[in-house]
Amino acid sequence: TERVFSGVQPTGNLHLGNYLGAIKRFVELQQRFECLYCVVDLHAITVWQDPAELKRSIREVAAAFLAAGVDGEKHIVFNQSQVSAHAELAWVLNCVARLGWLNRMTQFKEKAGKDRENASVGLYAYPNLMAADILAYRATHVPVGEDQKQHLELARDIAQKFNNDFSASIAELGLDEKFFPQPEPLIAGPATRVMSLRDGAKKMSKSDASDASRINLTDDADQIAAKIRRAKTDPLPLPESIEGLKERPEADNLVGIYAALADSDPAAVLAEHGGAQFSQFKQALVDLTVARLSPITAEMKRLVADPGHIDATLASGAERAEAIAKPTMDAVKDIVGFVRRS
Ligand code: ATP
Ligand code: MG
């Protein structure tokens, strides 16, 4: 069966990049796939999280999924730490993945920064846990932003190495030789990498110290307007065609955001707005962003005010997720040669 898995970290400051690169796509994929959407709290603690804040953020990410239109009844919305298969499988995959593979991961280098000796072991092993998240459900499709492409490729390599390393055992148990399927990344559309509003060379990120760099899903209309008006641009008017966006990262970014919010594409946006001054285009972008985000923001607020409903959704999701992961985990234990409690 074709199955979608994806996750968002409860690390605070959910932003427009998370929405356009991930959550909005989650909603669209529900029509075509069986979907699991996970609040990945085990990933979040790879960098320090204040415990009270973490709790709040977990519910906020779940609320964002639901407010954006994810159906927690038809599909599965859950919290990673409530399903032990993630951590269990991650350990096995820690023993499959090679140090050399992880040493190439650019996210670790960026997040660890200069003080690498002081980064948590979890931050280093993060991509193995992400592989476990996907493979525990034998998910076939993974919608993510462009920044996660390298981790997805690693997950594919890990799946293949597991299948190869244990091919004899897999055959002996009469299981499919492709025990773990190759998960397909779904990285498409005009907003796979939304950039900072202050710096066209940096991705919009939860952890950017400057709040003006991102539009938060909790921002109100005035905050959105102020941030877009202050967004960095070059002095030229918008180009008439997409070729004119090359070497103009800030213009490219704002046009991409507009296109994604309008369910359109950059060429169509420029057909309408090409030649306009940024002051004009930014006003159109403010109107569109507020129109698209404010219903979501309002619904998030409503949902967070009643954590009972969110917690019940997460509990039901975890139960159903566990039911899918359990047979896979049991098979993994048999394949590896563990003696299971029966
Ligand atoms: P952190 O700084 O804590 O890593 P983040 O903003 O990168 O936060 P994640 O929870 O790591 O958010 O990522 C959740 C999803 O959002 C992933 O699919 C990721 O690829 C996507 N995403 C994150 N930032 C962007 C962005 N700027 N543009 C498009 N997609 C993004
Ligand atoms: Mg990230």
Side-chain angles (χ1 to χ4, degrees):
T1 60
E2 300 211 299
R3 187 178 282 148
V4 161
F5 177 92
S6 195
V8 174
Q9 298 189 74
T11 39
N13 300 327
L14 273 176
H15 55 79
L16 185 63
N18 299 134
Y19 176 63
L20 295 178
I23 301 171
K24 182 169 184 289
R25 314 230 27 241
F26 295 178
V27 177
E28 295 157 5
L29 290 165
Q30 296 182 115
Q31 311 303 325
R32 285 170 42 214
F33 297 97
E34 171 192 3
C35 301
L36 292 112
Y37 296 127
C38 188
V39 185
V40 288
D41 52 359
L42 299 179
H43 284 280
I45 63 165
T46 57
V47 298
W48 169 253
Q49 302 298 329
D50 174 77
E53 268 298 298
L54 180 61
K55 240 183 200 144
R56 201 191 57 76
S57 291
I58 289 167
R59 293 182 176 127
E60 187 172 272
V61 173
F65 288 174
L66 300 176
V70 170
D71 185 333
E73 284 169 22
K74 279 208 192 96
H75 297 272
I76 296 179
V77 170
F78 72 112
N79 183 13
Q80 193 182 25
S81 64
Q82 290 187 25
V83 180
S84 59
H86 295 258
E88 267 185 89
L89 183 57
W91 182 261
V92 175
L93 301 185
N94 278 341
C95 303
V96 173
R98 306 288 92 181
L99 273 181
W101 297 2
L102 286 177
N103 283 338
R104 289 197 284 273
M105 296 297 113
T106 57
Q107 178 177 287
F108 174 75
K109 290 176 196 168
E110 278 158 27
K111 291 202 172 183
K114 287 198 185 74
D115 194 10
R116 198 176 293 189
E117 295 284 300
N118 207 21
S120 77
V121 174
L123 187 65
Y124 186 76
Y126 179 117
N128 294 344
L129 176 59
M130 180 164 155
D133 298 338
I134 298 162
L135 299 178
Y137 303 98
R138 297 199 246 191
T140 52
H141 295 80
V142 185
V144 283
E146 169 75 32
D147 62 305
Q148 292 304 313
K149 189 168 182 234
Q150 193 185 34
H151 288 164
L152 238 326
E153 279 159 10
L154 183 83
R156 292 164 66 91
D157 290 344
I158 291 174
Q160 190 166 24
K161 184 161 165 28
F162 182 93
N163 293 348
N164 288 345
D165 287 356
F166 294 102
S167 58
S169 180
I170 290 169
E172 200 163 308
L173 288 161
L175 297 165
D176 186 345
E177 62 178 350
K178 293 198 180 85
F179 177 74
F180 284 130
Q182 289 278 289
E184 205 57 64
L186 297 176
I187 304 171
T192 57
R193 186 173 177 82
V194 176
M195 306 309 278
S196 157
L197 298 179
R198 307 301 302 158
D199 179 351
K202 255 176 38 189
K203 102 169 172 77
M204 188 178 283
S205 171
K206 298 197 200 100
S207 41
D208 196 314
S210 162
D211 191 60
S213 72
R214 67 182 158 260
I215 292 170
N216 301 304
L217 294 189
T218 51
D219 284 347
D220 63 25
D222 291 341
Q223 288 168 307
I224 291 172
K227 286 177 181 178
I228 290 177
R229 284 198 199 102
R230 283 183 56 204
K232 193 179 161 204
T233 52
D234 56 42
L236 302 172
L238 280 182
E240 302 285 349
S241 73
I242 52 171
E243 287 74 48
L245 290 172
K246 281 187 197 126
E247 319 284 317
R248 295 182 65 186
E250 292 87 7
D252 189 36
N253 190 39
L254 296 184
V255 169
I257 291 172
Y258 191 103
L261 286 170
D263 294 311
S264 175
D265 59 72
V269 173
L270 290 180
E272 198 185 336
H273 295 277
Q277 298 297 329
F278 270 108
S279 53
Q280 243 180 309
F281 179 64
K282 281 178 166 180
Q283 188 51 53
L285 183 58
V286 167
D287 294 343
L288 178 62
T289 308
V290 170
R292 288 289 190 266
L293 291 191
S294 64
I296 298 174
T297 306
E299 179 64 3
M300 274 174 72
K301 226 184 208 164
R302 195 186 71 80
L303 288 166
V304 171
D306 169 25
H309 174 69
I310 292 173
D311 290 2
T313 304
L314 291 175
S316 143
E319 222 167 89
R320 288 177 287 139
E322 192 156 65
I324 301 172
K326 176 81 165 66
T328 304
M329 250 349 273
D330 285 350
V332 165
K333 288 174 184 170
D334 292 340
I335 290 167
V336 169
F338 295 158
V339 174
R340 276 201 287 130
R341 173 158 51 96
S342 49

